[in-house]
Every structure is written in structure tokens, then in C-alpha cells.
Amino acid sequence: MAARSSTRQRGRPRGKRIAGSVATLALASSLLAACGGDGGKPTLNWYVNPDGVDTFKTYAEECSTDQYDIAVQQLPSSATDQRTQLARRLAAEDSSTDLMNLDPVFVAEFANAGWLQKIPDELATEITDGGDYLQGAVDTVTWDDGVYAIPLWANTQVLWYRKSLAEAAGLDMSQPVTWEQVIEAASSQGGTVGVQANRYEAYVVWINAMMQGAGGAIVTDTEAGRDAKVELDSDAGREAASIIQKLADSEAAQADLTVSNEGTSLGQMFPEDGPGEFMVNWTFVYANYKGLIGAPGGPADEQEFEDLGWARYPATVEGEASKPPIGGIDIGLGAYSEHPEWALEAGQCITSTDAQVDLAVNDGLMPSTNSAYDEVAASGEFPEDLLDLYRTSVDEGGPRPKSPFYSQISSAVQSVWHSPTSVTPDSTPQESADFLTEVLAGRSLL
């Protein structure tokens, strides 16, 4: 993913909405410093995912204070590997894990394990009831009636496409479109459909979104833990399997379907030959192509860039609203940090409005608050209708199962539904339901 090299110079982030809380915490921090020993200036470790690292480093520096410094520690690229690294440290009660970027699906697991500080009531209420955070982002940080992280960016997927391809296929993109229509439109014109179907977390994102679009879910009653109700063997599961099978059997399937990820299909939008593609992918796509105009992998010129279109995530069932995936990053505060007050203060600073705006403008990682969205809109860096689509998709989208057993749920689904070329509605939903039930009950191992 391409990102602009420069971060706007704003001085220290202002964190407008949290000024009161920060001031209170700053006083507490000063008192702590006054009572502290002579061991030198502490360093808070901030574990980050690889997206937006340059912006993270800028804010690590700007949010450091006279009492502490913030050091960025980069995690592996995949969400699963990020979870593993953090879980190993926290299971050992690592006191050096002060701040961490968390994929939203792991907040429940980490909170349930006691690895995260619970967000204090004043800030928690501001997040859940203040009216500024997008509802989809709020949902990602709550667990068991508490708030256990601070939303940073709120990601979602939309349908990216070449306007010329849709027009040639006679597909009216001003109206909601279904997966079946998209696959048939691409196939009829020699185009392709880009998805994420490698054996990894993003494949579950796709399956989950299609099931929710059909009114179902992978599991329900997730707060029951291992006794959650497995819903894969359902009409919604069979609808999702039918779409995967239809794409896999179609000429619109890309050659690397079975190992496809967020990056592999980017190059199919503006190929040297062919009409391009329809592609579901995250919000970074617009900034990516805008930064690649005239470069390999990008549109040849501004005119070709204008041929890039966007629409709401495809519907699973005609006439029923789609449920766009919700992702993003939440900031968790380590439960074993030696400096919990400073970690909270730093967590508020690195999630400030300015930080969210810079991540959007520099890296295409969209905000979790309406106030930050308003500033991004005022910047003129993104089309207004695209920002409206992002915001609506987060508010009306569907999260993955919020469960302390999520990593087992995801791995069990991946193991049966991969490869996509083997998926069939006649057997895959039932087989995966049986396997996941056994895994949750502790009778089968992954």
C-alpha cells in the first residue's frame, strides 16, 4: 500500500474531546514522577501493526512528554501473528507491553483473559455515549458491559470497480448490486472479481460478511464462550458457500484465487490488457491508486484514475441490505504496565482527532469519530460521496463474532472452507459446523 511520505505538521496533537481527562491524568502523572525513583526516564512500548508506521512514529514522538517517551515496536503483518506475539507477552504478565494496536476481533479475548486495562468510566462513557464515535467502532471495544480499548481507526470494505467495465456489462451501479450480479457482469466482459480467499483471517471476513448479508452469523450467543451456538449449517451458510462456489467456477475468478489477499488483486484493476475488475477491499485502496497514477500497478493517468468507481459492499441476497465488514485498529492498554496512568494518557493522545486525520490523509486509514471525518472531508483529499460511503458502511456493517474463543472459531472455519475451489453448499456449511462444535467443546484440536 502506498502512502504519502509526509505527515502534516500540527505540533502536539490537541485531543480536543479529551482535554479534561488528559489534564487530570497529567497532574496524576506529575505526582507519580515526583514520587518516583531515580531509574531514568521511562519508555512506554507501543506495539503497532505495519500499516501507517511512519504516522505512528510521528505521534510516538509528539505524544512523548517530560515524564516518559513512547517507543514504537512493529508487529508482524498478519492479524493472527500479531495476536500471537501479544498474547505470548501478556500471558507472561509482561510489564513492558504498555500500548498495543489490536485488531477488533481480539479485544474480547484479551479483555476476558484480564490482559487489558479497563477504560475508566468517564472516558468509557465518552466513547459509548458521547455521540462522536461511529457505532461500528464503539461495538469493537466493548465486552461484558465494559470498554477495554480506545478506537483509533475504523476500517470497512466497499466494492471497488472500473466504471467502464460496469457500464459495458449494463450493471446499474447507482443501485445495490448482488454478488451474483457482480460475478456475471465481470465474466461477461472478460473482467475479474477480486476477493481475499487465502487461508487466513481475511477469508473469514468475507465468509462472515456474506452470512450476515443473508441474515445469519457464524456463531451466536458468543458470551457463552465455548457453549456459543454454531450457526454455520444454515441457509445463510449455504448462501455464502454458493457465492464462493459460483466465483470459483466462473471465468471471473482470478488465477490466484486460492492464495489471494488484500494486495494480490490490486494489480488487476488497471491491467495492461483487459477491462479491469470488481474488487472488495479496505479503505486504503483509494489512496493507494491515487498515489500510483502513472506508476506500475496504478492507473496510467488522471483520466484512467477517474474510471475508478466505488459502491456499497455487494448484497448476498437481492433486496436485502449487505453487511459490510468492519475492521480497524483499537488501542489496548496492557494490564501489567508499570505505568498505567501514563499509558492511558498516551493512549488518548495517539488516538486524538489530529492523529486520526493524519492516518486518513497519509495512509488511507479512516477515522473512528465523526469529528475526524469532518476534518478529513474539509481537507479535500477524498471525494465526499466516498467518505459518506465509508461512514455508512461502518455504522451499518457487521462485525465478526465477538468471542474470547474467536481465534479458535476463525481457524476452524478456515480449515474447512479453504480451499475456495472445494467449497460446496451441500457439504461445507455442515462439515464446518460439526468441526467448530467439536473444537469449542474441546473434543477436536485445530
Side-chain angles (χ1 to χ4, degrees):
M1 161 174 56
R4 291 183 181 79
S5 59
S6 62
T7 298
R8 291 176 297 145
Q9 298 302 307
R10 292 168 172 261
R12 186 186 168 102
R14 296 186 295 276
K16 299 172 184 173
R17 297 175 49 260
I18 57 177
S21 299
V22 170
T24 302
L25 289 164
L27 175 60
S29 299
S30 298
L31 292 172
L32 283 172
C35 297
D38 56 357
K41 190 177 180 183
T43 296
L44 304 183
N45 285 307
W46 177 16
Y47 287 89
V48 305
N49 53 303
D51 304 318
V53 170
D54 288 344
T55 305
F56 294 148
K57 289 180 178 177
T58 296
Y59 277 85
E61 181 177 348
E62 293 194 6
C63 292
S64 293
T65 71
D66 292 340
Q67 287 78 37
Y68 57 84
D69 290 322
I70 302 173
V72 168
Q73 311 290 347
Q74 187 168 328
L75 293 165
S77 58
S78 82
T80 302
D81 290 339
Q82 292 164 22
R83 174 201 166 276
T84 300
Q85 291 287 331
L86 292 171
R88 285 173 176 167
R89 304 192 73 87
L90 292 167
E93 301 187 3
D94 175 35
S95 62
S96 71
T97 304
D98 301 291
L99 301 142
M100 67 200 88
N101 286 16
L102 278 177
D103 188 302
V105 292
F106 301 125
V107 171
E109 177 189 6
F110 280 37
N112 194 67
W115 294 340
L116 299 177
Q117 287 188 52
K118 189 175 182 180
I119 302 301
D121 290 345
E122 182 181 356
L123 177 57
T125 301
E126 203 171 328
I127 292 171
T128 57
D129 302 326
D132 195 27
Y133 282 90
L134 304 182
Q135 188 56 48
V138 172
D139 291 342
T140 67
V141 297
T142 58
W143 171 250
D144 197 22
D145 298 327
V147 175
Y148 287 89
I150 307 171
L152 177 54
W153 79 69
N155 216 345
T156 189
Q157 289 198 1
V158 303
L159 176 63
W160 304 95
Y161 65 96
R162 289 287 294 272
K163 296 176 184 175
S164 54
L165 171 59
E167 183 178 358
L171 197 57
D172 181 5
M173 299 303 294
S174 68
Q175 302 297 318
V177 294
T178 65
W179 277 104
E180 183 174 357
Q181 290 174 316
V182 167
I183 294 168
E184 290 179 353
S187 181
S188 70
Q189 301 300 312
T192 60
V193 177
V195 296
Q196 294 85 50
N198 196 359
R199 184 171 173 172
Y200 77 136
E201 178 60 26
Y203 187 32
V204 182
V205 170
W206 184 29
I207 296 166
N208 181 69
M210 290 190 292
M211 286 191 65
Q212 290 190 323
I218 293 174
V219 295
T220 57
D221 193 20
T222 53
E223 294 199 354
R226 58 187 290 177
D227 294 322
K229 187 176 181 182
V230 178
E231 305 275 12
L232 284 157
D233 188 16
S234 62
D235 289 344
R238 284 180 281 278
E239 291 280 3
S242 294
I243 291 169
I244 293 173
Q245 183 183 54
K246 183 177 181 65
L247 177 59
D249 291 344
S250 168
E251 294 180 356
Q254 295 179 349
D256 58 358
L257 174 66
T258 60
V259 293
S260 56
N261 60 42
E262 290 91 338
T264 55
S265 57
L266 291 173
Q268 300 300 315
M269 187 64 74
F270 299 102
E272 291 185 4
D273 298 309
E277 67 174 341
F278 295 88
M279 172 182 65
V280 288
N281 213 328
W282 303 100
T283 61
F284 74 90
V285 167
Y286 182 84
N288 174 76
Y289 287 133
K290 189 175 181 180
L292 286 176
I293 295 175
D301 49 34
E302 289 282 354
Q303 183 177 2
E304 193 167 69
F305 179 61
E306 291 298 318
D307 196 37
L308 177 68
W310 45 85
R312 182 165 172 140
Y313 197 81
T316 305
V317 179
E318 187 172 8
E320 296 187 16
S322 66
K323 299 291 285 185
I326 294 176
I329 285 294
D330 299 322
I331 298 297
L333 312 176
Y336 309 106
S337 170
E338 294 179 351
H339 311 287
E341 292 85 2
W342 288 342
L344 176 59
E345 178 184 277
Q348 291 176 285
C349 184
I350 61 181
T351 57
S352 67
T353 298
D354 283 353
Q356 292 186 39
V357 173
D358 279 340
L359 280 165
V361 172
N362 295 341
D363 308 295
L365 305 169
M366 305 313 292
S368 58
T369 62
N370 284 303
S371 55
Y373 254 106
D374 291 343
E375 288 201 25
V376 173
S379 75
E381 293 288 336
F382 297 89
E384 287 189 15
D385 66 323
L386 180 58
L387 294 178
D388 288 342
L389 176 63
Y390 288 159
R391 214 177 328 201
T392 301
S393 296
V394 172
D395 269 339
E396 299 179 3
R400 283 160 282 169
K402 191 187 296 186
S403 166
F405 288 83
Y406 182 75
S407 62
Q408 286 88 349
I409 293 170
S410 176
S411 296
V413 171
Q414 293 172 41
S415 68
V416 179
W417 288 65
H418 197 271
S419 153
T421 56
S422 67
V423 170
T424 167
D426 296 332
S427 61
T428 304
Q430 180 182 348
E431 290 176 6
S432 59
D434 292 344
F435 182 54
L436 177 54
T437 299
E438 293 296 296
V439 168
L440 289 176
R443 295 189 291 267
S444 291
L445 296 176
L446 293 167

